[in-house]
């Protein structure tokens, strides 16, 4: 019942349970919800996150970008690196939300994250071609965090989420 209430599954008479269908409304709604939460959360994170947390996130991104650049020079970014980049991606976003220390927001965010993952499975699973651009988008957020600039962090996060949404819609993103 909870999964159904969250819109993740649906009971279809004579057919059983079905995973939510990814459509334009789901993409729009999930990314709008994500944008509202993360834009405000990153502003607070910019002011309150421990320096060590920000440095750890920054280091993981810089290391991933360097590893991807080496891999590109050696024939291409492999699946293992793509999977690691996806984990680094999610870790940044989760750290920002968890930095709020608000269980209600964290729970709502995680339900929406499941929807985003459904969308990614259907339309935008991280591919080698988007690893470096995604990491660079994150670097914009991280630079603002290092500078402790909430407004710049909000702007960078908004730009990143809107690019991710556009990829989900199948739009070409520069």
């Amino acid at each position: 019942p909870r999964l159904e209430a969250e819109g993740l599954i649906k009971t279809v008479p004579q057919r059983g349970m079905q995973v939510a269908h990814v459509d334009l409304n789901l993409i729009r709604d999930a990314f709008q919800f994500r944008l509202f939460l993360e834009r405000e959360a990153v502003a607070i994170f910019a002011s309150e996150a421990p320096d060590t947390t920000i440095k750890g996130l920054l280091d993981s991104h810089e290391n991933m970008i360097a590893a991807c650049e080496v891999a590109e020079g050696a024939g291409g970014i492999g699946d293992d690196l793509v999977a690691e980049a996806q984990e680094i991606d999610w870790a940044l976003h989760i750290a920002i939300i968890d930095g709020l220390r608000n269980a209600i927001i964290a729970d709502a965010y995680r339900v929406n994250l499941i929807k985003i993952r459904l969308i990614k499975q259907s339309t935008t699973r991280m591919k080698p071609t988007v690893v470096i651009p995604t990491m660079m988008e994150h670097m914009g957020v991280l630079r603002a965090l290092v500078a402790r600039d909430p407004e710049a962090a909000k702007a960078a996060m908004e730009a990143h989420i809107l690019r991710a949404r556009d990829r989900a819609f199948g739009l070409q993103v520069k």
Side-chain angles (χ1 to χ4, degrees):
R2 181 174 178 208
L3 294 174
E4 207 162 11
E6 298 291 353
L8 296 171
I9 62 171
K10 159 170 105 168
T11 303
V12 179
Q14 308 295 321
R15 299 181 101 177
M17 304 291 236
Q18 293 184 340
V19 175
H21 176 68
V22 175
D23 61 12
L24 294 178
N25 288 331
L26 176 63
I27 294 169
R28 185 195 68 239
D29 293 351
F31 277 93
Q32 183 178 50
F33 186 75
R34 179 182 177 194
L35 179 62
F36 281 21
L37 288 182
E38 289 192 56
R39 188 173 41 206
E40 296 309 314
V42 78
I44 294 168
F45 196 78
S47 299
E48 298 180 1
D51 291 337
T52 55
T53 300
I54 293 171
K55 180 162 178 13
L57 293 166
L58 182 64
D59 290 347
S60 66
H61 281 76
E62 288 174 340
N63 292 338
M64 177 53 61
I65 291 167
C68 287
E69 288 170 347
V70 168
E72 279 186 328
I77 299 171
D79 291 343
D80 56 335
L81 214 47
V82 172
E84 186 180 344
Q86 185 64 77
E87 291 302 318
I88 290 168
D89 180 331
W90 288 333
L92 171 70
H93 296 283
I94 292 293
I96 290 167
I97 292 297
D98 286 351
L100 294 171
R101 295 178 302 280
N102 182 315
I104 294 170
I105 291 173
D107 288 346
Y109 182 82
R110 280 174 172 72
V111 169
N112 196 60
L113 185 58
I114 293 168
K115 293 174 184 175
I116 297 286
R117 288 178 181 178
L118 277 173
I119 292 165
K120 284 183 175 275
Q121 291 283 35
S122 176
T123 62
T124 65
R125 174 173 250 169
M126 190 174 275
K127 300 174 187 121
T129 57
V130 299
V131 171
I132 292 176
T134 298
M135 293 294 116
M136 295 307 291
E137 291 168 16
H138 283 191
M139 289 300 293
V141 173
L142 289 162
R143 281 190 288 278
L145 293 175
V146 168
R148 300 295 185 171
D149 185 340
E151 291 305 313
K154 285 171 68 170
M157 182 61 76
E158 180 173 351
H160 167 59
I161 291 172
L162 293 176
R163 284 189 195 100
R165 182 209 56 200
D166 290 349
R167 284 190 290 268
F169 278 131
L171 302 173
Q172 293 294 340
V173 180
K174 294 179 183 178

